[in-house]
Coordinates of all heavy atoms in Angstrom, one line a residue:
M1 N 0.8 -1.2 0.0 CA 0.0 0.0 0.0 C 0.9 1.2 0.0 O 2.0 1.2 0.5 CB -0.9 0.0 1.2 CG -1.8 1.1 1.3 SD -3.5 0.6 1.3 CE -4.3 1.9 2.1
N2 N 0.4 2.3 -0.5 CA 1.1 3.5 -0.5 C 0.6 4.5 0.5 O -0.6 4.5 0.8 CB 1.0 4.3 -1.9 CG 1.6 3.5 -3.0 OD1 2.7 2.8 -2.7 ND2 1.1 3.5 -4.1
Q3 N 1.4 5.2 1.1 CA 1.0 6.3 2.1 C 1.2 7.6 1.4 O 2.1 7.9 0.7 CB 2.0 6.3 3.3 CG 1.7 5.1 4.2 CD 2.7 5.2 5.4 OE1 3.8 5.8 5.3 NE2 2.3 4.6 6.5
K4 N 0.2 8.4 1.6 CA 0.2 9.8 1.0 C 1.0 10.7 1.9 O 0.9 10.7 3.1 CB -1.2 10.3 0.9 CG -1.3 11.7 0.2 CD -2.7 12.1 0.0 CE -2.8 13.5 -0.5 NZ -4.1 13.9 -0.7
R5 N 2.0 11.4 1.3 CA 2.8 12.3 2.0 C 2.8 13.6 1.3 O 3.0 13.7 0.2 CB 4.3 11.8 2.1 CG 4.4 10.5 2.8 CD 5.6 10.4 3.6 NE 5.6 9.1 4.3 CZ 6.7 8.4 4.4 NH1 7.8 8.7 3.8 NH2 6.7 7.2 5.1
G6 N 2.6 14.7 2.1 CA 2.5 16.0 1.5 C 3.9 16.4 1.0 O 4.9 16.1 1.6
T7 N 3.9 17.1 -0.1 CA 5.2 17.6 -0.7 C 5.2 19.1 -0.8 O 6.1 19.7 -1.3 CB 5.4 17.0 -2.1 OG1 4.3 17.4 -2.9 CG2 5.5 15.5 -2.1
G8 N 4.1 19.7 -0.3 CA 4.0 21.2 -0.4 C 3.6 21.6 -1.8 O 3.5 22.8 -2.1
E9 N 3.3 20.7 -2.7 CA 2.8 21.0 -4.0 C 1.3 20.7 -4.1 O 0.8 20.0 -3.2 CB 3.6 20.2 -5.0 CG 5.1 20.4 -5.0 CD 5.9 19.5 -5.9 OE1 5.3 18.7 -6.6 OE2 7.1 19.5 -5.8
M10 N 0.7 21.0 -5.2 CA -0.7 20.8 -5.4 C -1.0 19.3 -5.6 O -2.0 18.8 -5.2 CB -1.2 21.5 -6.6 CG -1.2 23.1 -6.4 SD -2.2 23.6 -4.9 CE -3.9 23.2 -5.6
E11 N 0.0 18.5 -6.3 CA -0.2 17.1 -6.5 C 0.2 16.3 -5.3 O 1.2 16.5 -4.7 CB 0.6 16.7 -7.8 CG 0.1 17.4 -9.0 CD -1.4 16.9 -9.4 OE1 -1.7 15.7 -9.3 OE2 -2.1 17.8 -9.8
P12 N -0.6 15.2 -5.0 CA -0.1 14.4 -3.9 C 1.1 13.6 -4.3 O 1.3 13.3 -5.5 CB -1.3 13.5 -3.6 CG -2.1 13.5 -4.9 CD -1.8 14.9 -5.5
H13 N 1.9 13.1 -3.4 CA 3.1 12.3 -3.6 C 2.9 11.0 -2.8 O 2.5 11.1 -1.6 CB 4.3 13.1 -3.1 CG 5.5 12.3 -3.3 ND1 6.1 12.0 -4.5 CD2 6.3 11.7 -2.3 CE1 7.2 11.3 -4.3 NE2 7.4 11.1 -3.0
Y14 N 3.1 9.9 -3.4 CA 2.9 8.6 -2.8 C 4.3 7.9 -2.6 O 5.1 7.9 -3.5 CB 1.9 7.7 -3.5 CG 0.6 8.3 -3.5 CD1 0.1 9.2 -4.5 CD2 -0.3 7.9 -2.5 CE1 -1.2 9.7 -4.4 CE2 -1.6 8.5 -2.4 CZ -2.0 9.3 -3.4 OH -3.3 9.9 -3.3
V15 N 4.5 7.3 -1.4 CA 5.6 6.5 -1.2 C 5.3 5.1 -0.8 O 4.4 4.9 0.0 CB 6.4 7.2 0.0 CG1 7.6 6.4 0.4 CG2 6.8 8.6 -0.3
D16 N 6.0 4.1 -1.4 CA 5.7 2.7 -1.1 C 5.9 2.4 0.4 O 6.9 2.9 1.0 CB 6.5 1.8 -1.9 CG 6.1 1.7 -3.4 OD1 4.9 2.0 -3.7 OD2 6.9 1.4 -4.2
V17 N 5.0 1.6 0.9 CA 5.2 1.1 2.3 C 5.9 -0.2 2.3 O 5.4 -1.2 1.7 CB 3.8 1.0 3.0 CG1 4.0 0.4 4.4 CG2 3.1 2.3 3.1
P18 N 7.1 -0.3 2.8 CA 7.9 -1.5 2.7 C 7.1 -2.7 3.3 O 6.4 -2.6 4.3 CB 9.1 -1.2 3.6 CG 9.2 0.2 3.6 CD 7.8 0.7 3.6
G19 N 7.2 -3.9 2.6 CA 6.6 -5.1 3.1 C 5.1 -5.2 2.8 O 4.5 -6.3 3.1
D20 N 4.5 -4.3 2.1 CA 3.1 -4.3 1.8 C 3.0 -4.8 0.4 O 3.6 -4.3 -0.5 CB 2.5 -2.9 2.0 CG 1.0 -3.0 2.2 OD1 0.5 -4.1 2.5 OD2 0.4 -1.9 2.3
G21 N 2.1 -5.8 0.2 CA 2.0 -6.4 -1.2 C 1.0 -5.7 -2.0 O 0.5 -4.6 -1.7
P22 N 0.7 -6.3 -3.2 CA -0.3 -5.6 -4.1 C -1.7 -5.6 -3.5 O -2.0 -6.4 -2.7 CB -0.2 -6.5 -5.4 CG 0.3 -7.8 -4.9 CD 1.2 -7.5 -3.7
H23 N -2.5 -4.6 -4.0 CA -3.8 -4.5 -3.5 C -4.8 -4.5 -4.7 O -4.4 -4.1 -5.8 CB -4.0 -3.2 -2.8 CG -3.3 -3.1 -1.5 ND1 -3.8 -3.6 -0.3 CD2 -2.0 -2.8 -1.2 CE1 -2.9 -3.4 0.6 NE2 -1.8 -3.0 0.1
R24 N -5.9 -5.1 -4.5 CA -7.0 -5.1 -5.5 C -8.2 -4.5 -5.0 O -8.7 -4.8 -3.9 CB -7.2 -6.6 -5.9 CG -6.0 -7.2 -6.5 CD -6.3 -8.6 -7.0 NE -5.0 -9.1 -7.7 CZ -4.8 -10.4 -7.8 NH1 -5.7 -11.2 -7.4 NH2 -3.7 -10.8 -8.4
L25 N -8.8 -3.7 -5.9 CA -10.1 -3.1 -5.5 C -11.2 -3.8 -6.4 O -11.0 -4.0 -7.6 CB -10.1 -1.6 -5.8 CG -9.0 -0.8 -5.0 CD1 -9.0 0.6 -5.5 CD2 -9.3 -0.9 -3.6
P26 N -12.3 -4.0 -5.8 CA -13.4 -4.6 -6.6 C -14.0 -3.6 -7.6 O -13.9 -2.4 -7.4 CB -14.5 -4.9 -5.5 CG -14.2 -4.0 -4.4 CD -12.8 -3.7 -4.4
L27 N -14.6 -4.1 -8.7 CA -15.3 -3.3 -9.7 C -16.7 -3.0 -9.2 O -17.4 -3.9 -8.7 CB -15.3 -4.0 -11.0 CG -13.9 -4.4 -11.6 CD1 -14.1 -5.2 -12.9 CD2 -13.1 -3.1 -11.8
A28 N -17.1 -1.8 -9.3 CA -18.5 -1.4 -9.0 C -19.5 -2.0 -10.0 O -19.1 -2.3 -11.1 CB -18.6 0.1 -9.0
T29 N -20.7 -2.2 -9.6 CA -21.7 -2.7 -10.5 C -22.0 -1.8 -11.6 O -22.4 -2.2 -12.7 CB -23.0 -3.1 -9.7 OG1 -23.4 -1.9 -9.0 CG2 -22.8 -4.2 -8.7
N30 N -21.9 -0.5 -11.4 CA -22.2 0.5 -12.4 C -20.9 0.9 -13.1 O -20.8 2.1 -13.6 CB -22.8 1.7 -11.8 CG -21.9 2.4 -10.7 OD1 -21.0 1.8 -10.2 ND2 -22.2 3.7 -10.4
L31 N -19.9 0.0 -13.3 CA -18.6 0.3 -13.9 C -18.8 0.8 -15.3 O -19.6 0.4 -16.1 CB -17.8 -1.0 -13.9 CG -16.4 -0.9 -14.6 CD1 -15.5 -0.1 -13.8 CD2 -15.9 -2.3 -14.9
K32 N -18.0 1.9 -15.6 CA -17.9 2.4 -17.0 C -16.4 2.2 -17.4 O -15.5 2.5 -16.7 CB -18.2 3.9 -17.0 CG -19.7 4.2 -16.7 CD -20.0 5.6 -16.9 CE -21.5 5.7 -16.6 NZ -22.0 7.0 -16.5
V33 N -16.3 1.7 -18.6 CA -14.9 1.4 -19.2 C -14.8 2.1 -20.5 O -15.7 2.1 -21.4 CB -14.7 -0.1 -19.4 CG1 -13.4 -0.4 -20.0 CG2 -14.9 -0.9 -18.1
W34 N -13.7 2.9 -20.7 CA -13.4 3.6 -21.9 C -12.1 3.1 -22.5 O -11.1 3.2 -21.9 CB -13.4 5.1 -21.6 CG -14.6 5.6 -20.9 CD1 -14.7 5.8 -19.6 CD2 -15.9 5.8 -21.4 NE1 -16.0 6.2 -19.3 CE2 -16.7 6.3 -20.4 CE3 -16.4 5.8 -22.7 CZ2 -18.1 6.6 -20.6 CZ3 -17.7 6.2 -23.0 CH2 -18.5 6.5 -21.9
S35 N -12.2 2.6 -23.7 CA -10.9 2.1 -24.4 C -10.4 3.1 -25.4 O -11.1 3.9 -26.1 CB -11.3 0.9 -25.2 OG -10.2 0.4 -25.9
A36 N -9.1 3.2 -25.4 CA -8.4 4.0 -26.4 C -8.0 3.1 -27.6 O -8.3 3.4 -28.8 CB -7.1 4.6 -25.8
S37 N -7.4 2.0 -27.3 CA -7.0 1.1 -28.4 C -6.6 -0.3 -27.9 O -6.7 -1.3 -28.7 CB -5.7 1.6 -29.2 OG -4.6 1.7 -28.3
N38 N -6.3 -0.5 -26.7 CA -5.8 -1.8 -26.2 C -6.9 -2.6 -25.5 O -6.9 -3.9 -25.7 CB -4.7 -1.6 -25.1 CG -3.4 -2.1 -25.6 OD1 -3.3 -2.8 -26.6 ND2 -2.4 -1.8 -24.8
I39 N -7.8 -2.0 -24.8 CA -8.8 -2.8 -24.1 C -9.8 -3.4 -25.1 O -10.1 -4.6 -25.0 CB -9.6 -1.9 -23.1 CG1 -8.7 -1.4 -22.0 CG2 -10.8 -2.7 -22.6 CD1 -9.4 -0.4 -21.1
H40 N -10.1 -2.7 -26.1 CA -11.0 -3.1 -27.2 C -10.5 -2.6 -28.5 O -10.1 -1.4 -28.5 CB -12.4 -2.7 -26.9 CG -13.4 -3.3 -27.9 ND1 -13.6 -2.8 -29.2 CD2 -14.2 -4.3 -27.8 CE1 -14.5 -3.5 -29.8 NE2 -14.9 -4.4 -29.0
P41 N -10.3 -3.4 -29.5 CA -9.8 -2.8 -30.8 C -10.7 -1.6 -31.2 O -11.9 -1.6 -31.2 CB -10.1 -3.9 -31.8 CG -10.1 -5.1 -31.0 CD -10.7 -4.8 -29.6
A42 N -10.0 -0.5 -31.5 CA -10.6 0.8 -31.8 C -11.4 0.7 -33.2 O -10.9 0.0 -34.1 CB -9.6 1.9 -31.9
R43 N -12.5 1.3 -33.2 CA -13.3 1.4 -34.4 C -13.0 2.7 -35.2 O -13.9 3.5 -35.3 CB -14.8 1.2 -34.1 CG -15.1 -0.1 -33.4 CD -16.5 -0.1 -33.0 NE -16.8 -1.3 -32.2 CZ -17.0 -1.3 -30.9 NH1 -17.1 -0.2 -30.2 NH2 -17.3 -2.5 -30.3
S44 N -11.8 2.9 -35.5 CA -11.4 4.1 -36.2 C -10.3 3.9 -37.2 O -9.7 2.8 -37.2 CB -10.9 5.2 -35.2 OG -9.7 4.9 -34.7
D45 N -10.1 4.8 -38.1 CA -9.1 4.6 -39.1 C -7.7 4.6 -38.6 O -6.9 3.8 -39.1 CB -9.2 5.8 -40.2 CG -10.5 5.7 -41.0 OD1 -11.1 4.6 -41.1 OD2 -10.9 6.7 -41.5
N46 N -7.4 5.3 -37.6 CA -6.0 5.4 -37.0 C -5.8 4.4 -35.9 O -4.7 4.3 -35.3 CB -5.6 6.8 -36.6 CG -6.4 7.2 -35.4 OD1 -7.3 6.5 -34.9 ND2 -6.1 8.4 -34.9
G47 N -6.8 3.5 -35.6 CA -6.6 2.5 -34.5 C -6.8 3.0 -33.1 O -6.5 2.2 -32.2
A48 N -7.1 4.2 -32.9 CA -7.3 4.7 -31.5 C -8.5 5.7 -31.5 O -8.8 6.4 -32.5 CB -6.1 5.5 -31.1
T49 N -9.2 5.6 -30.4 CA -10.3 6.6 -30.1 C -10.1 7.2 -28.8 O -10.1 6.6 -27.8 CB -11.7 5.9 -30.2 OG1 -11.7 4.9 -29.2 CG2 -12.0 5.3 -31.5
I50 N -9.7 8.5 -28.8 CA -9.3 9.3 -27.6 C -10.0 10.6 -27.6 O -10.4 11.1 -28.6 CB -7.8 9.4 -27.4 CG1 -7.2 10.1 -28.7 CG2 -7.2 8.1 -27.2 CD1 -5.7 10.4 -28.5
D51 N -10.1 11.1 -26.3 CA -10.6 12.5 -26.2 C -9.4 13.5 -26.2 O -8.3 13.1 -26.4 CB -11.4 12.6 -24.9 CG -10.6 12.4 -23.6 OD1 -9.4 12.4 -23.7 OD2 -11.3 12.2 -22.6
D52 N -9.7 14.7 -25.9 CA -8.7 15.8 -26.0 C -7.6 15.7 -24.9 O -6.6 16.4 -24.9 CB -9.2 17.2 -26.0 CG -10.1 17.5 -24.8 OD1 -10.4 16.6 -23.9 OD2 -10.5 18.6 -24.6
Q53 N -7.8 14.7 -23.9 CA -6.9 14.5 -22.8 C -6.0 13.2 -23.0 O -5.3 12.8 -22.2 CB -7.5 14.5 -21.5 CG -8.2 15.8 -21.1 CD -8.9 15.7 -19.7 OE1 -9.2 14.6 -19.2 NE2 -9.2 16.8 -19.2
G54 N -6.3 12.6 -24.1 CA -5.6 11.3 -24.4 C -6.2 10.1 -23.7 O -5.5 9.1 -23.6
L55 N -7.4 10.2 -23.3 CA -8.1 9.1 -22.6 C -9.0 8.4 -23.6 O -9.7 9.1 -24.4 CB -8.9 9.6 -21.4 CG -8.1 10.2 -20.3 CD1 -9.0 10.9 -19.3 CD2 -7.3 9.2 -19.6
G56 N -9.2 7.2 -23.5 CA -10.1 6.4 -24.4 C -11.5 6.9 -24.2 O -11.9 7.3 -23.2
D57 N -12.2 7.0 -25.3 CA -13.6 7.4 -25.3 C -14.5 6.4 -26.0 O -15.7 6.7 -26.3 CB -13.8 8.8 -25.9 CG -13.4 9.0 -27.3 OD1 -13.0 7.9 -28.0 OD2 -13.5 10.1 -27.9
Q58 N -14.1 5.2 -26.2 CA -14.9 4.2 -26.8 C -15.4 3.3 -25.7 O -14.6 2.7 -25.0 CB -14.1 3.3 -27.8 CG -14.9 2.2 -28.4 CD -14.0 1.4 -29.3 OE1 -14.0 1.7 -30.5 NE2 -13.3 0.4 -28.8
P59 N -16.7 3.3 -25.5 CA -17.3 2.5 -24.4 C -17.0 1.0 -24.6 O -17.1 0.5 -25.7 CB -18.8 2.8 -24.4 CG -19.0 3.6 -25.6 CD -17.8 4.0 -26.2
C60 N -16.7 0.3 -23.5 CA -16.5 -1.1 -23.5 C -17.2 -1.8 -22.3 O -17.6 -1.1 -21.4 CB -15.0 -1.5 -23.4 SG -14.0 -0.9 -24.7
T61 N -17.3 -3.1 -22.4 CA -18.0 -3.8 -21.3 C -17.0 -4.2 -20.2 O -15.8 -4.3 -20.5 CB -18.7 -5.1 -21.8 OG1 -17.7 -6.0 -22.3 CG2 -19.7 -4.7 -23.0
R62 N -17.5 -4.6 -19.1 CA -16.7 -5.2 -18.0 C -16.0 -6.4 -18.5 O -14.8 -6.6 -18.2 CB -17.7 -5.5 -16.9 CG -17.1 -6.3 -15.8 CD -18.3 -6.9 -14.9 NE -17.9 -6.7 -13.5 CZ -18.3 -5.8 -12.7 NH1 -19.1 -4.8 -13.1 NH2 -17.9 -5.7 -11.5
D63 N -16.7 -7.3 -19.3 CA -16.0 -8.5 -19.7 C -14.9 -8.2 -20.7 O -13.9 -8.9 -20.7 CB -17.1 -9.4 -20.4 CG -18.0 -10.1 -19.4 OD1 -17.6 -10.1 -18.2 OD2 -19.1 -10.5 -19.8
E64 N -15.0 -7.2 -21.6 CA -14.0 -6.8 -22.4 C -12.7 -6.3 -21.6 O -11.6 -6.6 -22.0 CB -14.4 -5.7 -23.4 CG -15.3 -6.3 -24.5 CD -16.0 -5.2 -25.3 OE1 -16.3 -4.1 -24.8 OE2 -16.2 -5.5 -26.5
L65 N -13.0 -5.6 -20.6 CA -11.9 -5.1 -19.7 C -11.2 -6.3 -19.1 O -9.9 -6.4 -19.1 CB -12.4 -4.2 -18.6 CG -11.4 -3.8 -17.5 CD1 -10.2 -3.0 -18.1 CD2 -12.1 -3.1 -16.4
L66 N -11.9 -7.2 -18.5 CA -11.3 -8.3 -17.8 C -10.6 -9.2 -18.8 O -9.5 -9.7 -18.5 CB -12.4 -9.1 -17.1 CG -13.1 -8.4 -15.9 CD1 -14.2 -9.2 -15.3 CD2 -12.1 -8.0 -14.9
D67 N -11.1 -9.4 -20.0 CA -10.4 -10.2 -21.0 C -9.1 -9.5 -21.4 O -8.1 -10.2 -21.5 CB -11.3 -10.4 -22.2 CG -10.6 -11.2 -23.3 OD1 -10.2 -12.3 -23.0 OD2 -10.4 -10.6 -24.4
A68 N -9.1 -8.2 -21.6 CA -7.9 -7.5 -21.9 C -6.8 -7.6 -20.8 O -5.7 -7.7 -21.1 CB -8.2 -6.0 -22.2
L69 N -7.2 -7.5 -19.6 CA -6.3 -7.6 -18.5 C -5.7 -9.0 -18.4 O -4.6 -9.1 -18.0 CB -7.0 -7.2 -17.2 CG -7.4 -5.7 -17.1 CD1 -8.2 -5.5 -15.8 CD2 -6.2 -4.8 -17.2
D70 N -6.5 -10.0 -18.8 CA -6.0 -11.4 -18.7 C -5.1 -11.7 -19.9 O -4.2 -12.6 -19.8 CB -7.1 -12.4 -18.7 CG -7.8 -12.4 -17.4 OD1 -7.1 -12.0 -16.3 OD2 -8.9 -12.9 -17.3
T71 N -5.3 -11.1 -21.1 CA -4.6 -11.5 -22.3 C -3.7 -10.5 -22.9 O -2.9 -10.8 -23.8 CB -5.7 -11.9 -23.4 OG1 -6.4 -10.7 -23.7 CG2 -6.6 -13.0 -22.9
R72 N -3.7 -9.3 -22.5 CA -2.8 -8.3 -23.0 C -1.9 -7.6 -22.0 O -2.2 -7.7 -20.8 CB -3.6 -7.2 -23.7 CG -4.4 -7.7 -24.9 CD -5.2 -6.5 -25.5 NE -6.3 -7.1 -26.4 CZ -7.5 -7.4 -26.0 NH1 -7.9 -7.3 -24.8 NH2 -8.3 -7.8 -26.9
S73 N -0.8 -7.0 -22.4 CA 0.0 -6.3 -21.4 C 0.2 -4.9 -21.9 O -0.2 -4.5 -23.0 CB 1.4 -7.0 -21.3 OG 2.1 -6.9 -22.6
G74 N 0.6 -4.0 -21.0 CA 0.9 -2.7 -21.3 C -0.3 -1.7 -21.3 O -0.3 -0.6 -21.9
I75 N -1.4 -2.2 -20.6 CA -2.6 -1.3 -20.5 C -2.4 -0.4 -19.3 O -2.1 -0.8 -18.2 CB -3.8 -2.1 -20.3 CG1 -4.1 -3.0 -21.6 CG2 -5.0 -1.2 -20.0 CD1 -5.3 -4.0 -21.4
T76 N -2.5 0.9 -19.6 CA -2.4 1.9 -18.6 C -3.7 2.7 -18.6 O -4.2 3.0 -19.6 CB -1.2 2.9 -18.9 OG1 0.0 2.1 -19.1 CG2 -1.0 3.9 -17.8
A77 N -4.2 2.9 -17.4 CA -5.5 3.6 -17.3 C -5.6 4.5 -16.1 O -4.9 4.3 -15.1 CB -6.6 2.5 -17.2
R78 N -6.5 5.4 -16.2 CA -6.9 6.3 -15.1 C -8.1 5.6 -14.4 O -9.1 5.2 -15.1 CB -7.4 7.6 -15.5 CG -7.8 8.5 -14.4 CD -8.4 9.8 -14.8 NE -9.7 9.5 -15.4 CZ -10.4 10.4 -16.1 NH1 -9.9 11.6 -16.3 NH2 -11.6 10.1 -16.7
L79 N -8.0 5.3 -13.1 CA -9.1 4.7 -12.4 C -9.8 5.7 -11.5 O -9.1 6.6 -10.9 CB -8.5 3.6 -11.5 CG -7.7 2.5 -12.1 CD1 -7.2 1.5 -11.1 CD2 -8.5 1.8 -13.2
K80 N -11.1 5.7 -11.4 CA -11.8 6.4 -10.4 C -12.4 5.5 -9.5 O -13.0 4.4 -9.8 CB -12.9 7.2 -11.2 CG -12.4 8.4 -12.0 CD -13.5 9.2 -12.5 CE -12.9 10.4 -13.3 NZ -14.0 11.2 -13.9
V81 N -12.3 5.8 -8.2 CA -12.6 4.9 -7.1 C -13.7 5.7 -6.2 O -13.5 6.8 -5.9 CB -11.4 4.5 -6.3 CG1 -11.8 3.6 -5.1 CG2 -10.4 3.8 -7.1
D82 N -14.8 5.0 -5.9 CA -15.8 5.6 -5.0 C -15.4 5.5 -3.6 O -14.4 5.0 -3.2 CB -17.2 5.0 -5.3 CG -17.3 3.6 -4.9 OD1 -16.5 3.0 -4.1 OD2 -18.3 2.9 -5.4
A83 N -16.3 6.1 -2.7 CA -16.0 6.2 -1.3 C -16.0 4.8 -0.6 O -15.5 4.6 0.5 CB -17.1 7.0 -0.6
R84 N -16.5 3.8 -1.3 CA -16.5 2.4 -0.8 C -15.3 1.6 -1.3 O -15.3 0.4 -1.3 CB -17.8 1.7 -1.0 CG -19.0 2.5 -0.4 CD -20.3 2.0 -0.7 NE -20.7 1.0 0.2 CZ -21.8 0.2 0.1 NH1 -22.5 0.3 -1.0 NH2 -22.1 -0.7 1.0
D85 N -14.3 2.3 -1.9 CA -13.2 1.7 -2.5 C -13.5 0.7 -3.7 O -12.9 -0.4 -3.8 CB -12.3 1.0 -1.5 CG -11.6 1.9 -0.6 OD1 -11.3 3.1 -1.0 OD2 -11.2 1.6 0.5
R86 N -14.5 1.0 -4.5 CA -14.8 0.2 -5.6 C -14.4 1.1 -6.9 O -14.7 2.3 -6.9 CB -16.3 -0.1 -5.7 CG -16.7 -1.0 -4.5 CD -18.2 -1.2 -4.5 NE -18.8 0.1 -4.4 CZ -20.1 0.4 -4.3 NH1 -20.9 -0.6 -4.3 NH2 -20.5 1.5 -4.2
I87 N -13.8 0.4 -7.9 CA -13.5 1.1 -9.1 C -14.8 1.3 -9.9 O -15.5 0.3 -10.2 CB -12.5 0.3 -9.9 CG1 -11.2 0.1 -9.2 CG2 -12.3 1.0 -11.3 CD1 -10.2 -0.8 -9.8
Y88 N -15.2 2.6 -10.2 CA -16.4 2.8 -11.0 C -16.1 3.3 -12.4 O -17.1 3.4 -13.2 CB -17.3 3.7 -10.2 CG -16.9 5.2 -10.1 CD1 -17.2 6.1 -11.0 CD2 -16.2 5.6 -9.0 CE1 -16.8 7.4 -10.9 CE2 -15.7 6.9 -8.9 CZ -16.1 7.8 -9.9 OH -15.7 9.1 -9.7
E89 N -14.9 3.7 -12.7 CA -14.6 4.1 -14.0 C -13.1 3.8 -14.4 O -12.2 4.0 -13.6 CB -14.8 5.6 -14.2 CG -14.6 6.0 -15.6 CD -14.9 7.5 -15.9 OE1 -14.1 8.4 -15.6 OE2 -16.1 7.7 -16.3
V90 N -12.9 3.2 -15.6 CA -11.6 2.9 -16.1 C -11.5 3.6 -17.5 O -12.3 3.4 -18.3 CB -11.4 1.4 -16.3 CG1 -10.1 1.1 -16.9 CG2 -11.6 0.7 -15.0
A91 N -10.5 4.5 -17.6 CA -10.3 5.2 -18.9 C -8.9 4.9 -19.3 O -7.9 5.3 -18.7 CB -10.5 6.7 -18.7
E92 N -8.7 4.1 -20.4 CA -7.4 3.8 -20.9 C -6.7 5.0 -21.3 O -7.2 5.9 -22.0 CB -7.5 2.8 -22.0 CG -6.2 2.4 -22.6 CD -6.3 1.5 -23.8 OE1 -7.4 1.1 -24.2 OE2 -5.3 1.1 -24.4
L93 N -5.4 5.1 -21.0 CA -4.5 6.2 -21.4 C -3.9 5.8 -22.7 O -3.2 4.8 -22.7 CB -3.4 6.5 -20.3 CG -4.0 7.0 -19.0 CD1 -2.9 6.9 -18.0 CD2 -4.6 8.3 -19.1
Y94 N -4.0 6.6 -23.7 CA -3.4 6.3 -25.0 C -1.9 6.6 -25.0 O -1.5 7.6 -24.6 CB -4.1 7.1 -26.1 CG -3.5 6.8 -27.5 CD1 -3.7 5.5 -28.1 CD2 -2.8 7.7 -28.1 CE1 -3.1 5.3 -29.3 CE2 -2.2 7.5 -29.4 CZ -2.4 6.2 -30.0 OH -1.8 6.0 -31.2
H95 N -1.1 5.6 -25.5 CA 0.3 5.8 -25.7 C 0.6 5.1 -27.0 O 0.5 3.8 -27.0 CB 1.1 5.5 -24.5 CG 0.8 4.1 -24.0 ND1 1.5 2.9 -24.4 CD2 0.0 3.7 -23.0 CE1 1.0 1.9 -23.8 NE2 0.1 2.3 -22.9
P96 N 1.1 5.8 -28.0 CA 1.4 5.1 -29.3 C 2.5 4.2 -29.2 O 3.3 4.2 -28.3 CB 1.7 6.3 -30.2 CG 1.8 7.5 -29.4 CD 1.3 7.2 -28.0

């Protein structure tokens, strides 16, 4: 687990806690998944569908996300987590 430590800047800074293993958060029932190109093959001429921030904007299903995580590597995403520590949105970050 990571501990949040203030750095005096606007962005939080996280430091690994020694001896703490990986953590998994459950997916919320109202999960929204947005693919750029890796989670689900893009339906565009250039192979990617992204918004002006470089985040995927092609909707995908929970099953497509889970399949991609099991069968592909190199998927990077922004996760949004609710107050009950459930992931409610996954937006793939596009990187060519």
Side-chain angles (χ1 to χ4, degrees):
M1 180 118 156
N2 293 327
Q3 287 181 333
K4 184 176 176 182
R5 299 220 176 134
T7 61
E9 300 171 8
M10 293 299 290
E11 293 295 319
H13 176 71
Y14 293 89
V15 177
D16 287 334
V17 176
D20 204 8
H23 293 271
R24 295 185 179 159
L25 298 175
L27 300 176
T29 55
N30 61 338
L31 176 69
K32 292 185 178 172
V33 181
W34 307 100
S35 176
S37 63
N38 246 352
I39 295 174
H40 186 280
R43 299 176 187 110
S44 70
D45 293 336
N46 68 356
T49 56
I50 57 174
D51 65 13
D52 59 351
Q53 297 178 341
L55 297 169
D57 63 0
Q58 176 178 272
C60 294
T61 67
R62 168 193 225 99
D63 289 339
E64 288 171 327
L65 170 65
L66 295 175
D67 180 60
L69 294 173
D70 284 341
T71 61
R72 297 179 194 89
S73 63
I75 296 174
T76 306
R78 179 189 69 191
L79 305 178
K80 290 187 178 180
V81 179
D82 66 19
R84 299 173 94 190
D85 287 337
R86 296 174 302 186
I87 298 170
Y88 70 89
E89 184 174 82
V90 176
E92 181 184 358
L93 299 168
Y94 178 69
H95 50 89

